[in-house]
Amino acid sequence: MHRKLRLPSPAIAIACIALIAALTGTSYAAVNSLAPRNSVANSSLRNNAVTSNKVKDRSLLARDFKLGQIPAGPAGPAGAAGPAGPAGPAGPAGPSGSASIRWALVKADSTIVAQSGGISMTSHSPGNYFLDFGSAQNTKLILATSAFAGGDTTARDSTIGGPCGGTTEGMVCSTANDTNHVHVQTFNTAGVLTDHSYYVAVFG
């Protein structure tokens, strides 16, 4: 005699299916908890899921941050000066100067005892000396000053000089009245024209 096979009730079948599904989900979670390295995609992370306590200290690099997110540190101390560079090339030579100086040292008796050259005495009267420089001197700087030539150490008032020729730079001279001549006058302490030694120089 054969025993009749009884089928499970619908309730038992549903319970079995639920149990299988639950066991399968647990196994899937367990397997996924052992996911290989670098297998978690950005889309798998919720916003704000990674916080400070989940990041290993000192494990991030500067390149892991967006540009401008890490402020620059303070400037370091200045380094030592580098070696001097080579000297630059020499500049072009400037134009040659055209200025010249002509001068004479004259004793009280009108003798020229030293000079730069080309100067002669044309005329002399007490305290008045007319020197020929051989070219126009009226547009040049003329200086006259006292000297000790010939042992002349007596006190004096002043020594002055300027060009002849009646131009705006000088005067009308009583003799040799042209711009080639320079008139020098020497005075004693009373302001009277008196012979004294002197230097006269023309610049330009």
Side-chain angles (χ1 to χ4, degrees):
M1 179 178 181
H2 295 283
R3 187 177 292 179
K4 187 178 180 179
L5 180 63
R6 297 179 63 185
L7 296 173
S9 67
I12 293 176
I14 291 172
C16 289
I17 292 173
L19 177 61
I20 292 171
L23 293 175
T24 302
T26 303
S27 299
Y28 177 79
V31 170
N32 275 279
S33 66
L34 300 176
R37 186 178 183 183
N38 299 326
S39 65
V40 179
N42 183 56
S43 59
S44 300
L45 296 175
R46 291 179 299 169
N47 290 338
N48 303 318
V50 179
T51 58
S52 177
N53 62 348
K54 294 181 180 179
V55 179
K56 182 180 179 182
D57 291 344
R58 312 299 180 187
S59 64
L60 297 180
L61 303 177
R63 67 170 178 266
D64 296 320
F65 295 87
K66 185 178 180 180
L67 292 177
Q69 293 299 306
I70 302 178
S96 59
S98 59
S100 63
I101 301 176
R102 301 182 66 191
W103 59 272
L105 172 59
V106 182
K107 291 197 306 182
D109 64 1
S110 76
T111 303
I112 298 176
V113 294
Q115 62 164 303
S116 58
I119 303 171
S120 60
M121 184 66 64
T122 298
S123 178
H124 166 238
S125 62
N128 288 285
Y129 303 83
F130 298 89
L131 297 98
D132 186 359
F133 278 72
S135 60
Q137 307 298 305
N138 59 300
T139 60
K140 302 176 182 180
L141 173 63
I142 299 175
L143 296 179
T145 184
S146 301
F148 294 140
D152 185 3
T153 59
T154 56
R156 66 203 73 179
D157 183 13
S158 60
T159 300
I160 60 176
C164 294
T167 62
T168 56
E169 302 89 357
M171 61 181 294
V172 176
C173 296
S174 59
T175 184
N177 187 38
D178 59 63
T179 56
N180 288 2
H181 282 79
V182 172
H183 181 194
V184 176
Q185 292 183 315
T186 58
F187 298 83
N188 62 15
T189 55
V192 177
L193 285 167
T194 306
D195 288 346
H196 286 292
S197 61
Y198 61 90
Y199 278 104
V200 60
V202 178
F203 299 81

